Amino acid sequence: MSNTKITNTTIATTDVLNRYLFNDMHVRGELVQLSKSYQSIIKNHNYPVGVRVLLGELMAATCLLTATLKFEGEITVQLQGDGPIGYMSVNGDNNQQMRGIAKLKPQQKQTKANSLHELIGKGTMVITIRPKKGEAYQGVVALEQATLAECLAHYFEVSEQIPTKIWLFSDDDKQQIAGSLVQLLPDGDGSSENLIKQESDFEHISQLTNTIKADEIFSLDAQALLYRLYHQEKVSLFEPQAISYQCGCSHDKCLAAISQIAADEIESILAEQSKISMTCDYCLTTYDFFYDDLKSFISKDSH
Ligand SMILES: [Zn+2]
C-alpha cells in the first residue's frame, strides 16, 4: 500500500472523515468514525436505545454523503413514516458540521423498536441538497431495503446511477458510530472492456471492505484500518476532515422567528407569561425574550 504509513496505535482518531482513492482502479472510499460529535447530538434527549442507534447511523450516513459534495453547501437526510418515529433528520455541511434530531410520536417515547422498519414503519428517505449558491434539489426514495445502509446505497443507484456500497456500525455501550462507503468512479471510456474492469474492481473492493469488523472500525485509526483491509492495493489517503457538532441556533435567529408573529399576539403572550420562550428542538437550548427585547416588534404596527 503506497502513500500511507502503517501505525501500531490502537487508539482510534474519532470524529473524523477519511477519504481515499485506489490508484489503479476507478474506485473511491470513505471512512467515518464518530464519538464526541455523536454523543453531543443525543445528549439530554433521553432517546430509547433503538432510536439513538438509528440516529447515529443516520449521522454517519449523512457524513458520508456530505463528503460527496463538490461545492459549498449542506445536505439534510430525513426519514419519515408511519412508525413510532414521526421523523428523524440529520443535517451536515461541507465542513462536516452536523446536527440531528429524532421526533417520536407522543405515545412512543419509550419505544422498544430497534430496526429501521420497526422504527420508521412504511416510509421514505428525503435527501435535500442546498448549495450555498444556486438552487436546492431534493431526492425521495422509499425505504424498501432492510437497513439504512442499503437504502442509502439504493438512493445512489437510483438518483445518481453510481454503484455504491455502504456499511454502518454502532456500539451503544461506548456510544460510537462508524461507517464506510465504497463507490465506483465512472470515467469517460464507455468501452465494454473498460466497463467490465470497472465492475470487477468495484466488486473486489466491496468484498474486501465487507470483511471489516465492528471491533476494528471502533479501535483502529484510518491508516491501520486501510492496511488491514487493502494491504495488497495501492491506496491514496487524503487529509482527514474533522467532524463536529454544531447546532446553528442562536438568540438572533429566534428573534427573527418571533418577528413574524403578529404584534397583538406578542403582546398577549407577554401579558400572560411576561416573556416568550423558545426551545431549540435540536440542542434543547431555551432562549427567553422579555418586553425590552420585543418592544420594537410591538410598537412598529401598534395603534
Ligand atoms: Zn440549537
Side-chain angles (χ1 to χ4, degrees):
M1 194 165 84
S2 67
N3 300 341
T4 58
K5 286 181 300 234
I6 305 160
T7 53
N8 292 320
T9 175
T10 52
I11 303 158
T13 317
T14 57
D15 301 296
V16 282
L17 180 106
N18 278 282
R19 293 179 301 123
Y20 48 95
L21 200 60
F22 294 89
N23 298 3
D24 301 329
M25 297 181 226
H26 289 279
V27 181
R28 59 183 286 274
E30 292 175 18
L31 173 69
V32 62
Q33 292 158 301
L34 301 173
S35 168
K36 275 203 183 81
S37 56
Y38 165 58
Q39 289 157 15
S40 300
I41 272 188
I42 57 174
K43 196 177 149 194
N44 298 331
H45 283 275
N46 297 317
Y47 294 129
V49 55
V51 177
R52 62 176 181 258
V53 166
L54 185 62
L55 185 60
E57 291 185 352
L58 188 63
M59 182 184 179
T62 308
C63 292
L64 295 171
L65 254 179
T66 53
T68 67
L69 277 177
K70 291 172 186 73
F71 44 78
E72 282 185 29
E74 57 176 52
I75 294 186
T76 303
V77 187
Q78 182 157 327
L79 309 178
Q80 55 200 33
D82 60 7
I85 293 177
Y87 72 89
M88 177 181 277
S89 174
V90 175
N91 175 270
D93 67 9
N94 55 294
N95 295 318
Q96 292 289 339
Q97 294 182 330
M98 317 293 301
R99 68 173 186 166
I101 189 173
K103 271 280 183 206
L104 285 142
K105 289 176 183 162
Q107 312 301 324
Q108 301 284 354
K109 304 278 186 202
Q110 308 294 329
T111 180
K112 300 264 188 296
N114 66 12
S115 70
L116 172 70
H117 290 285
E118 277 177 29
L119 286 161
I120 303 293
K122 195 172 155 49
T124 53
M125 174 164 63
V126 182
I127 296 177
T128 310
I129 301 174
R130 283 189 200 85
K132 227 172 197 171
K133 291 176 192 143
E135 299 257 316
Y137 53 101
Q138 202 165 62
V140 183
V141 287
L143 295 171
E144 284 166 344
Q145 288 68 32
T147 64
L148 181 62
E150 288 167 331
C151 292
L152 200 64
H154 177 68
Y155 162 80
F156 275 106
E157 308 254 344
V158 172
S159 75
E160 314 207 359
Q161 274 107 44
I162 305 174
T164 306
K165 289 220 161 66
I166 291 170
W167 294 263
L168 297 171
F169 298 88
S170 61
D171 183 329
D172 188 57
D173 291 336
K174 291 186 195 150
Q175 299 205 325
Q176 288 187 330
I177 301 284
S180 183
L181 172 146
V182 167
Q183 198 166 57
L184 185 75
L185 278 177
D187 65 1
D189 179 359
S191 70
S192 60
E193 200 183 319
N194 190 46
L195 292 175
I196 290 167
K197 181 186 180 308
Q198 286 185 10
E199 210 167 288
S200 85
D201 286 347
F202 177 69
E203 272 313 308
H204 173 60
I205 296 302
S206 298
Q207 279 172 19
L208 293 178
T209 313
N210 201 37
T211 66
I212 199 167
K213 293 186 184 71
D215 62 340
E216 294 170 333
I217 205 166
F218 289 126
S219 62
L220 300 175
D221 66 14
Q223 289 188 344
L225 205 57
L226 294 198
Y227 183 78
R228 147 74 183 87
L229 292 172
Y230 317 117
H231 55 273
Q232 290 181 328
E233 314 299 335
K234 294 196 178 91
V235 187
S236 298
L237 182 62
F238 298 103
E239 265 306 291
Q241 201 179 3
I243 296 166
S244 62
Y245 167 72
Q246 191 92 45
C247 182
C249 67
S250 68
H251 184 275
D252 286 356
K253 282 183 187 169
C254 289
L255 206 55
I258 295 174
S259 74
Q260 303 302 310
I261 303 174
D264 54 352
E265 200 176 323
I266 293 177
E267 271 183 297
S268 89
I269 300 171
L270 284 176
E272 261 174 52
Q273 299 164 13
S274 78
K275 64 178 180 182
I276 293 181
S277 293
M278 287 183 83
T279 300
C280 173
D281 278 347
Y282 287 83
C283 67
L284 304 175
T285 301
T286 295
Y287 298 90
D288 288 330
F289 300 91
F290 298 91
Y291 177 79
D292 279 350
D293 303 310
L294 303 172
K295 63 184 176 198
S296 63
F297 303 139
I298 301 168
S299 56
K300 75 177 173 208
D301 52 295
S302 100
H303 28 91

